[in-house]
Amino acid sequence: MLYLANPCGGPKVVQAIRDGTLGYIDTPAQGNIRPDGVTWAADNGCFSDRWDEGKWWRFLESNAHDAHSCLFATLPDVVGDAWQTGIKSLPWIEPVKALGYKVAWVAQDGQELHPLPWHDIDCLFIGGIGGTTEWKLGPHARNLAAEAKCRGKWVHMGRVNSERRYRYALAIGCDSVDGTFLTFGPDANLPRLLAMTRLSNQGALFEGVIA
C-alpha cells in the first residue's frame, strides 16, 4: 500500500518520494514544487473553508501534462454529506477525464444511501478530513471499499496519521493512503512509516485489525 506524503517533512521525505518509496499528494493551495517523475495524486483541497473552484480547475489544467503519472484527481466534495457531494461532483467527471486524469469520487457520510457512478470513476476515495470517523471506520465505508475492489477500482483513504489507521486501511483493501503523519516529527515517523510499508508489502499487518 502506497503512502502519499507532502514534502513538508523535510529532505528525507522528499528523497523517499523521489525514490518511489512514497507517493506525493498535491493540492491547489500547497505551493510546493512537485519533483519531476514522481507518482502523485491531485487532491481537491475542499477541506478548506476558502475553497475556490476556479483555482482548483486551474491547478488541474496546469498539471495536465503530468496526468499520466497521477494516480487520481479527486472531484469536488462536501464535508460529511454524500448527497451534496454528488451534486457537486457529477458535472466535473467528464471535464476532469478530458484532461487525462483518472477520476476519484470522494465517499462521504451517507454514501451507502446514494448510488455511485461506478462506470464513470476510477477510484473510490474514502473521505479524509471530511467524513466523520464513525462512518469512515464503519461497515458502510468498508463495504464500499470491497465493492470498489470487486469492480477493479483503486481505493484510497485520506487522513491516515497512525499505525492503527494504516493497518485498518490496508485490511479493508486500500491501495493508497495519505495524511500528515510525516509533517510532525519526521525524523521519528519516517522510519516507522517505511517499516509499516515494508510489512504491508509482506502481508504482515492484517492480524487483529478488524473485529
Side-chain angles (χ1 to χ4, degrees), residues 128-187:
I129 204 168
T132 64
T133 301
E134 182 180 0
W135 185 86
K136 177 178 176 177
L137 302 182
H140 297 308
R142 192 159 64 239
N143 291 341
L144 285 170
E147 183 173 358
K149 297 303 293 181
C150 286
R151 291 174 177 269
K153 308 297 181 180
W154 189 271
V155 179
H156 178 86
M157 180 180 283
R159 202 167 173 78
V160 173
N161 295 319
S162 67
E163 180 175 346
R164 181 172 179 81
R165 187 67 56 85
Y166 184 98
R167 286 162 56 94
Y168 181 80
L170 181 68
I172 68 171
C174 290
D175 299 288
S176 61
V177 296
D178 76 87
T180 56
F181 187 64
L182 297 176
T183 303
F184 306 101
D187 289 343

Side-chain angles (χ1 to χ4, degrees), residues 43-91:
D43 203 355
N44 57 35
C46 279
F47 52 82
S48 170
D49 292 335
R50 295 175 292 179
W51 188 73
D52 184 319
E53 184 179 88
K55 185 175 182 178
W56 164 73
W57 182 245
R58 290 190 295 273
F59 162 72
L60 291 184
E61 286 184 315
S62 65
N63 287 281
H65 63 283
D66 275 341
H68 65 282
S69 60
C70 185
L71 294 171
F72 55 82
T74 57
L75 298 170
D77 62 301
V78 176
V79 171
D81 192 324
W83 173 252
Q84 291 298 323
T85 291
I87 293 172
K88 199 170 185 178
S89 290
L90 281 170

